Amino acid sequence: TQLLEQSPQFLSIQEGENLTVYCNSSSVFSSLQWYRQEPGEGPVLLVTVVTGGEVKKLKRLTFQFGDARKDSSLHITAAQPGDTGLYLCAGTASKLTFGTGTRLQVTL
Amino acid sequence: DAGVTQSPTHLIKTRGQQVTLRCSPKSGHDTVSWYQQALGQGPQFIFQYYEEEERQRGNFPDRFSGHQFPNYSSELNVNALLLGDSALYLCASTRGRFDTGELFFGEGSRLTVL
């Protein structure tokens, strides 16, 4: 069974702060995706990283795929209340396996 | 262009009953996957349908079954409901056998078992 552990599980920060969410596994994935889910909605894809060591930036969000393709991180710079939500990493092999999730709350 | 649509959005059942959830994939998509998401946790893969056949299955009992129709829509059936089956059930679609493509999710069906 492929497991993806995310940390922290819950993060409450103030607007303007920076944060990093980690996604770790003992398994190698062909690619890794990050999703964000808001209450009452399904997850929405933010990014897909494919190559070990790859770094992708999406405005204030920076995603990195570990060299061994077993882990990933999401860094948010200058968080805003609109960043609030459940962040999910998901590893792809023959199917998509989701991580345990990180709930982020950004307050004014 | 309609996205993934699921019905019903909310439903309440009692233990032992049976439930059927429905999903219409995004236009142009032919693969449907079902996930169970407990409150505050990540979605857990139930199964995936492609060409009207179950192609992959997660670690769920046989009480969970499904079907895909020729128009690519899908149903998830759960028999002999348990309290622990209370969750958000998400349907996701993509084109072709899933590999690394993007999954498009519906808003989910929230099932409460009393």
Side-chain angles (χ1 to χ4, degrees):
Chain A
T1 302
Q2 299 167 318
L3 295 175
L4 281 164
E5 295 287 338
Q6 288 185 235
S7 62
Q9 286 185 302
F10 182 78
L11 193 55
S12 181
I13 61 172
Q14 290 189 321
E15 183 179 19
E17 293 185 23
N18 302 330
L19 67 117
T20 301
V21 177
Y22 299 93
C23 174
N24 294 290
S25 174
S26 57
S27 302
V28 175
F29 292 98
S30 56
S31 67
L32 198 136
Q33 299 180 337
W34 283 92
Y35 289 79
R36 188 176 81 172
Q37 184 178 21
E38 299 189 32
E41 299 182 9
V44 175
L45 180 68
L46 295 174
V47 76
T48 300
V49 285
V50 179
T51 307
E54 182 177 3
V55 177
K56 279 192 175 180
K57 291 190 176 184
L58 184 66
K59 296 182 180 180
R60 295 177 292 101
L61 278 61
T62 302
F63 305 85
Q64 185 165 7
F65 200 12
D67 291 339
R69 291 187 287 127
K70 292 182 179 181
D71 56 88
S72 181
S73 64
L74 158 61
H75 182 78
I76 301 179
T77 303
Q80 299 176 359
D83 295 327
T84 294
L86 179 67
Y87 288 82
L88 297 159
C89 66
T92 57
S94 57
K95 64 181 186 293
L96 194 64
T97 300
F98 279 89
T100 49
T102 295
R103 185 163 298 279
L104 172 65
Q105 184 173 1
V106 183
T107 57
L108 294 172
Chain B
D1 179 22
V4 179
T5 58
Q6 293 186 242
S7 64
T9 55
H10 295 82
L11 70 166
I12 299 174
K13 294 284 188 178
T14 57
R15 282 179 297 174
Q17 285 189 310
Q18 179 264 344
V19 68
T20 297
L21 308 178
R22 296 175 177 83
C23 171
S24 292
K26 181 179 170 63
S27 177
H29 288 183
D30 54 10
T31 302
V32 173
S33 300
W34 286 92
Y35 288 82
Q36 180 194 67
Q37 185 176 26
L39 197 61
Q41 297 183 18
Q44 297 294 312
F45 177 75
I46 303 175
F47 42 53
Q48 181 186 85
Y49 278 85
Y50 174 71
E51 292 184 338
E52 301 180 50
E53 290 190 15
E54 183 183 295
R55 299 292 179 170
Q56 296 187 70
R57 189 179 183 92
N59 188 27
F60 279 80
D62 292 344
R63 299 186 297 109
F64 289 77
S65 63
H67 189 77
Q68 185 179 36
F69 300 94
N71 66 352
Y72 308 122
S73 66
S74 177
E75 287 182 351
L76 164 65
N77 301 291
V78 187
N79 295 321
L81 284 168
L82 305 173
L83 295 179
D85 295 332
S86 295
L88 180 68
Y89 288 85
L90 293 164
C91 171
S93 73
T94 190
R95 189 183 323 192
R97 293 282 298 270
F98 174 74
D99 186 14
T100 59
E102 177 180 359
L103 285 183
F104 288 81
F105 283 86
E107 295 186 347
S109 294
R110 183 162 295 283
L111 171 65
T112 301
V113 182
L114 302 177

